[in-house]
Amino acid sequence: DAYGGYGDLYARESTPAPILEASCWAHGRRKVFELADVETAALKKARGEKAKPVYPLALEAVQRIDALFAIEREIVGRSPAERLAMRQVRSAPLVEELETWMLQTRDKLSRGHDLAKAFSYMLRRWPSFTRFLSDGRICLSNNAAERALRGVALGRKAWLFCGSDRGGQRAAVLYSLIVTAKLNDVDPQAWLADVLARIAQHPVHRLDELLPWNWKRGSDKLAA
């Protein structure tokens, strides 16, 4: 989502190695969709509120981007190699056409136009937006990660503060572990309770056995 705090992670001199940025198409689409949202504009107008203008060019941009998401829905769950092959055949030509169209369209708009700004947001980051075309492991959007963090965002209203920088760091570690457990179909509460009960006597060089994806298999063996 182009958050500035990630900038140092992508720097060439970062250690142990730079992280490659893969921009989220859902974020890029959202900036354009807001200018093509006929329904929201109509509702605001009906309530007597000021609505953003709706641009036909924005609607065309959304349709072009949605074609990429449609391909992704077809290949979801396939191996990275299969996804990459499909993207090279079907998605790459659409992405190339989209870039050319966005450049030509932006040049016809004033620099301060909302749609020109939305296009520039994507075009300035085009290498990271197109990185999914060269790596089948990369998702078109980071929606899955945002859904995993939704509980944190909602809970923030309840506890508001972590108390200190160290408390924030510990909270981040716990969030990561809990969501990792969920992604591996492991009950976070059961996993955490078991790990806390066993970790004091567990060999340090075998701590990886307690990680969620290994813990489940280990529990099955114990049960057997």
Side-chain angles (χ1 to χ4, degrees), residues 47-143:
R47 292 196 297 261
E49 302 174 3
K50 185 178 180 180
K52 288 186 177 181
V54 176
Y55 302 105
L57 288 173
L59 181 58
E60 182 175 350
V62 169
Q63 291 171 339
R64 288 174 177 267
I65 295 173
D66 284 352
L68 295 174
F69 277 98
I71 295 172
E72 290 300 306
R73 284 192 290 272
E74 291 182 30
I75 62 178
V76 66
R78 297 191 185 182
S79 70
E82 291 176 309
R83 283 154 54 114
L84 178 59
M86 185 69 76
R87 288 169 176 174
Q88 288 292 320
V89 173
R90 297 180 59 188
S91 301
L94 297 181
V95 170
E96 185 177 354
E97 291 175 6
L98 175 61
E99 180 187 20
T100 301
W101 179 82
M102 288 174 67
L103 286 168
Q104 294 174 346
T105 304
R106 187 185 62 174
D107 289 344
K108 298 175 184 177
L109 302 171
S110 64
R111 184 176 300 180
H113 197 287
D114 288 338
L115 188 55
K117 292 179 181 178
F119 286 170
S120 293
Y121 169 84
M122 297 186 68
L123 292 169
R124 284 197 302 269
R125 302 170 177 83
W126 203 244
S128 61
F129 270 106
T130 57
R131 186 151 283 130
F132 79 103
L133 296 175
S134 59
D135 192 332
R137 298 170 300 174
I138 296 175
C139 293
L140 199 62
S141 76
N142 67 350
N143 284 342

Side-chain angles (χ1 to χ4, degrees), residues 17 39 48 84 111 115 166 196 210:
E39 183 176 349
L84 178 59
R111 184 176 300 180
L115 188 55
R166 182 175 294 181
L196 291 176
L210 300 180

Side-chain angles (χ1 to χ4, degrees), residues 150-167:
R150 185 169 297 169
V152 178
L154 293 174
R156 217 165 34 199
K157 297 179 180 180
W159 54 72
L160 194 59
F161 298 110
C162 290
S164 66
D165 288 346
R166 182 175 294 181

Side-chain angles (χ1 to χ4, degrees), residues 163-175:
S164 66
D165 288 346
R166 182 175 294 181
Q169 292 167 357
R170 290 173 176 170
V173 170
L174 285 173
Y175 293 151

